[in-house]
Every structure is written in C-alpha cells, then in structure tokens.
Amino acid sequence: MKQVVLKDGKVVVEEVPTPELLDSKSVLIKVVNSCISAGTEISTVKSAGEPLIRRAVKNPAKVKKALEIVKKDGIKTAYEKITNKLKQATPLGYSISGIVADVGRDVRNFKVGDAVAAAGVGWANHAEYVSVPNNLVVKIPNGLSFEQASTVALGAIAMNGVRRADLQIGELAVVFGAGILGLLSLQMLQLSGVRVAVVDINDKRLTIAKEIGAELTLNPLRDNVVEHVINWSSGYGVDAVLFTASTNSSDPLSQSFQMCRKKGRVILVGVSGMELKREDLYLKELDFLMSTSYGPGRYDKNYEEEGLDYPYGYVRWTENRNMQEYLRLVASGNINLDNLISAVYPVDKAQQAFESLQSNSEDRPIIVLLSYGKPEINNLRFTSDKKIFINSSTVNKEVINVALIGVGSFALGTHLPNLKKLSDKYKLYAVMSRDGLKSKTFGSLYGANYATTNYSQILEDKNIDLVLICTRHDSHAMLTLEALRAGKHVFVEKPLATNYEELNQIKKFYEEGTDNKPLLFVGFNRRFSRYLSEIKKHTERRINPLFIIYRVNAGYFPPDSWVHEAGGRIVGEVCHFIDTITYLTNSRIEKISFESLTPKNSAYLEDDNKAIILKYSDGSIGCIQYFATGNKELPKEYMEVHFDGKSIVLDDYKKLKGYGLKIKEIETSHSDKGHIEELITLYNSLKSSNKGWPIEFWDIIQTTEATLRIIDIGSR
C-alpha cells in the first residue's frame, strides 16, 4: 500500500506492507481521505529539513539522552542507536476518513462497510490502510462527505479548546490565529452565543473570518490589537482568548494576556514561545490553560489503547464524543467547511500538497486533503500487499536465515546491529511488524529480502531457519508456539511466557523430548558474557556451594507503565538474574522465598521492590535484591559470588575483581552483557548436528516457572 512519510527531511510516498489489525480492540480502515495539519505536520516537516546541529540546539534534552546512551552502552552502540533513529522514516498524519475493512473480535460498534472517521498520531496516518484503536473511531453521519469527515481530528482539537474556555452566551472571546483551528473555533463559539474577535497577520483569512461571523478582525502588522480589543470590550478586556496560532515568538501570547479582563483566561490550543511575563498574568490574576488535543482520554493508554470509556455521567465530553459532535455539527450545516477546504490532492502528489502549505503567500491554503480513491465494499483488503520485496538475493544455506518479529528499541539497538556484525553466520531474511513502515524501513536498512505484516507468511517461508521474536511480552508464548509448530527454530526474547497456561502449552510441545524438535532459545544473554564465562571457570572447581548476592537497581517506572503488565517486571526482567545464578550453580531450585517492600503510597509498587532467596539442590543460595527505589546514578547490576573462602565481584558488567583467587580481572568501558556471544553460541548449536541446546530445556522452564511462582505467591 501507499503511505506518506517523512524520510531524510523530505515528504515521500512509500510502498509498505498493508497493516494487520493492531489487536482485538482495533478497527482496520480503507482510507478515502486524510487531512494534512497545516500546523503540527508542517512544523515537523520544516524541522526535519534543518541541519542536525540546529535541531540538536533546539532539543537539548535529546542531546542529554544521547550522552546517557554513550555513557551506558559505549560510543559504538550509541552511534548505532542514534543512526537508526535518524534513518527511520516517520509516519505523517492523524486525521482520516474511510470504510471499515475489518474489526477486532472485541469491537461491537462497527462492522465491515461502515463509513467512519478516525484520529490519532501513529494510527490515523496518511496511508491507504490504517489500524486504529476503537475509541478513536467514529461513524460518519448520513449525508456527510468523506472529504469533510477527514477533518475530524482538527475539529475535535478546536472543540476541546472551546470547552476549556468555558464561555457563556454573551461573553466575549478573541481567537488568536485564523488557521484551521481558529476558524473552526470561531464557528463553535458563535454557536454557543459568544461574541468573537479574530486576530491574524493574513488578510485573506481575516476576510473569511469576517464572512463567517467574526465581529472584529485585526491584523497585528498594522493594528494595535490590544487597544482595539480593549475598546471593543467596553474597556474591560475579553473573557477569554483561544490561542490557535503557531509561532516561536512569545509576543503574541503576551498580547493575549493583555487583552483579557481581570480573572480572564487564555487557552493554549496552538503553539507559542513560552517566555511568560509575570506582570501580564499577576495583576489581573489570569488563568492560563492548556488544551490537550482532542479532549479527555488523550494520552491515556487505558482509554485509547485498551478501549475503556469514561462514564458518561462523570466525563460528559471525551475525545470520542467530541469527534462525534464535531461531525454532527458539520453534517447539520452549523459548521461550514466550504471556504476552508482549499484543495484535494491524490496521494501520489503528497509532496506537492505539503509544499502548498509551506508557502508564505496570503493565498496559502487552509485545509488540504489527500485522496486515496473510494473502494468497492467487496474489495476492501489486498492481502498480497502484506509482503513487500526489498532484495532478491539468493538463499545462502551456509548461514542462519533469520526472520525478525517486532521492531522495537531493543531489536533496533542490539539484535540488528549484532546480526550485521555476524554476517558470516546470520542473514536477516525477513522483517515482520504490525507497523508496515517500520518493517520496510529497517528491512531495507539491514538488507532483508522482504518485509511483511503477516506472521503466517513468515511461518510458511521454507527459507527461514530461525524466528527471532522481539515483540511485547504478552505475545511471546503464542508466537513461539506457532513458530515451533511450523518447524522453525526460535530465539525469543525474555520472558518465554507470562502465565502458567502459556508455559504449559510449550511444555506439552516438548513432552516427548527435544530430539527431532526445533530448538528453543530464550534471550538470557548474561550467562554468555565474557564476565560470566570467567566466573564459571572458577566456580566449576569449587568444593562447597555458592553464596551469591545479586543487587539490581532496576530503575523507576510509573505505576501505569506497560512494564508492569503481563507478569510485570518479575516475569519480564528478574528472569535474567535467576538464570544467571542457575547458570553458576548448575543446579535445580528447591525453594523460593521472598519479601516485598511495603510502600507508604502508590508511587512505588511492591511488585518491583523485592528481596528474593533461591535455595538450590546443591546447597547454594542466591539472593536477588531487586528494587525501583534506588538512585539512577547508582550502577544497575552488582553481583558477589562467595565460595571456599574466595570472593568474586562483578560490577555492572564493566569490571570483574577476585579476592583470594587468581582471576582474569576484565574491565570494559560499557556494560558488556553477552548479546553478541549468545548469537555465536546459538549459531554453533544450530550448525552442529550433535551439539546440545545453548540453554537446556529444563533450565529455561525452571527460570520461567520461578518467576511465575513469585508473582503467584505474591498475589495471594
């Protein structure tokens, strides 16, 4: 399918795989029209075209983050991560209309063939097909065109700003900025019985504002806008200013404050420089309010992604209800878009469409749409588009041909660069992601033969030897099982499973043994690091059991972060440390006990603040201190191994020191946790007919069961 993206600072149309449904709560839409945001999107395009140094100066926080990556992972890894980010094509668009092509099993309010509009950055893109969460989709009223309905996101943004202003019949308002948001806000305010003045530097737009009912129009280039507004408001100042302009200057915002009456308010809907003057607000005791996009629910994962609605009686106007009301007002003729929609371009001419909005002339269009053609109801999906061929290189069976499933930050920052380094052993053959643009972008960057959004195409491909699964934790077990059943070897990032039911299905697959079955490997990388290999040389020669203390300064994540889902951090990360201790003891766990922190409030959770004790059958003890309450300046991992009057200290996989024994005291500039070594070990296992698994099956299962047991006991 065709998708409009920002690539190398330019707007281009890419052929990418057609998306699958995001999940059971999503709607797949065949797009008919999409609306370009003359504010947000054009600003993004202009910024992307600036030199890197200038962009860095404007975003010191990103520079700081880059330096933190260098400090943590080293210059090479940091360079790889930053380069990947810069080369990544960015999807554009967040307001579309179209026809429902498919619905998730939990969607009840839409069916295939429904005419709908949708919103959402990263979801409602400029593309032929989009998959959008249910709460960001609304039906189009009868009689409303797809072109008009495609402005739904912008209409909801304007409506939320008007609601934040909380104005009553007869009150006075200024709309500062006569772009899309300003002219829509003007019409909504008029419908509410509010008297409106409009300020803009474009006389043509002021003329439109006058035609659709503005009492007063002012141009700051020639008018003393503050003085005129004060006079218009009988010397008092207006009740509210809706700031809908987009500017880097702080002067227009200062003028907005000066226009207000005492106890008035300014609502920031657009973009402004934020150098506030205390005297502008203090003497009049003004309120300065932000308007968050489409309304209540925006940026709330439970609402937008999980599909949980706010109760109607408590939150009257959510973003979805704002979208519905906007479309109703347009359909009824109460909001008129005739003078606002300036042009409709076919998607192939997206670059010209964006260029038209970057003009500095007074004739610059207000609303520009893209068109994708209206489809036939019985031809809404094109399954062949789910695979895009990138390279046509012949299959080399001397290497391991890999299909990467999921293109998240860990895959991009670690696995893809390592596969590239080991090109004599591995070949990235295919990339699969629900995001077709990502799979195409990084498939191209790392030389894959094709990109797809369909997992079945991966499983049916006889050329693929190994499936590398790097998706969200809750999908690991299901994807793993499907690949194993298809006869594919599997490398799944931890965790293997997030509950007993999933794990039992995998155990059942191997219940008759691992012989003549595909190999299963879980990304417990630490055991393969040079540090653990050196420690193992000495612990293997011990007489008595090990006493191991493993301290993990895990770092803080807010209670609503995704890391606490699907088994949380115990299942998702503590498995690493259990595996590491098991590797050193080479023994089975006999007993697990733990204690959890009891926080005074909900800022910290019991789930990621635990002291865990593992007792092994050989008499060894492993103590894991896993906490989120520590300071981020403290190194993350620290392990002490004690045995036979000897001690070994591993400091964050950067430094190894021995006491009472002669050890190779390794030291590296960054945490070296064995990611490339695990790939080498896996390759040797796959290419050797008589070599065992890198991690034995019982060991993989034991570690997973241990984490599940901890959360199971903790929930009682």
Side-chain angles (χ1 to χ4, degrees), residues 508-538:
K508 186 176 181 181
F509 179 82
Y510 288 105
E511 64 183 348
E512 295 178 359
T514 58
D515 293 343
N516 302 315
K517 292 284 184 73
L519 183 149
L520 173 61
F521 180 81
V522 181
F524 298 140
N525 52 280
R526 284 160 177 77
R527 65 161 60 204
F528 301 101
S529 72
R530 68 179 86 176
Y531 288 101
L532 265 292
S533 295
E534 179 63 23
I535 295 172
K536 183 80 166 177
K537 290 178 186 176
H538 300 275

Side-chain angles (χ1 to χ4, degrees), residues 3-217:
Q3 181 169 354
V4 182
V5 301
L6 185 58
K7 188 176 182 180
D8 298 326
K10 297 179 181 178
V11 174
V12 297
V13 179
E14 286 269 295
E15 284 286 342
V16 304
T18 304
E20 294 267 286
L21 279 167
L22 284 171
D23 53 36
S24 64
K25 299 176 284 292
S26 297
V27 179
L28 184 69
I29 303 169
K30 172 63 182 77
V31 179
V32 176
N33 289 108
S34 62
C35 179
I36 301 173
S37 166
T40 306
E41 289 186 79
I42 297 304
S43 295
T44 300
V45 172
K46 287 181 177 178
S47 176
E50 293 179 345
L52 187 58
I53 295 297
R54 186 180 300 173
R55 288 155 62 188
V57 170
K58 288 182 178 181
N59 294 281
K62 291 186 177 180
V63 175
K64 182 181 178 181
K65 188 173 182 180
L67 293 174
E68 288 174 352
I69 295 173
V70 171
K71 182 179 178 181
K72 178 184 175 184
D73 300 325
I75 293 175
K76 287 185 178 179
T77 301
Y79 176 79
E80 195 84 41
K81 287 181 177 180
I82 293 167
T83 300
N84 279 342
K85 187 69 176 175
L86 292 174
K87 289 182 178 179
Q88 185 172 346
T90 304
L92 294 169
Y94 58 85
S95 188
I96 65 98
S97 64
I99 298 173
V100 174
D102 197 5
V103 297
R105 65 178 180 273
D106 296 327
V107 174
R108 299 287 179 265
N109 49 334
F110 299 105
K111 64 181 186 301
V112 173
D114 282 346
V116 295
V121 175
W123 291 308
N125 303 318
H126 298 305
E128 288 187 279
Y129 287 87
V130 295
S131 185
V132 184
N134 183 58
N135 273 354
L136 290 171
V137 183
V138 294
K139 289 183 180 178
I140 298 176
N142 291 334
L144 187 63
S145 70
F146 284 105
E147 291 180 353
Q148 292 173 315
S150 69
T151 64
V152 64
L154 297 163
I157 292 170
M159 183 168 287
N160 190 53
V162 170
R163 294 195 193 286
R164 291 285 282 160
D166 193 24
L167 293 164
Q168 300 183 34
I169 295 173
E171 291 190 321
L172 281 75
V174 169
V175 173
F176 209 118
I180 304 173
L181 299 180
L183 294 172
L184 292 176
S185 299
L186 163 62
Q187 296 183 67
M188 293 174 192
L189 289 168
Q190 287 181 300
L191 288 171
S192 304
V194 178
R195 299 169 59 196
V196 188
V198 177
V199 177
D200 200 281
I201 60 173
N202 186 314
D203 281 330
K204 183 176 180 180
R205 296 188 176 191
L206 290 177
T207 299
I208 295 173
K210 193 74 174 177
E211 290 172 352
I212 58 179
E215 281 192 29
L216 178 68
T217 57

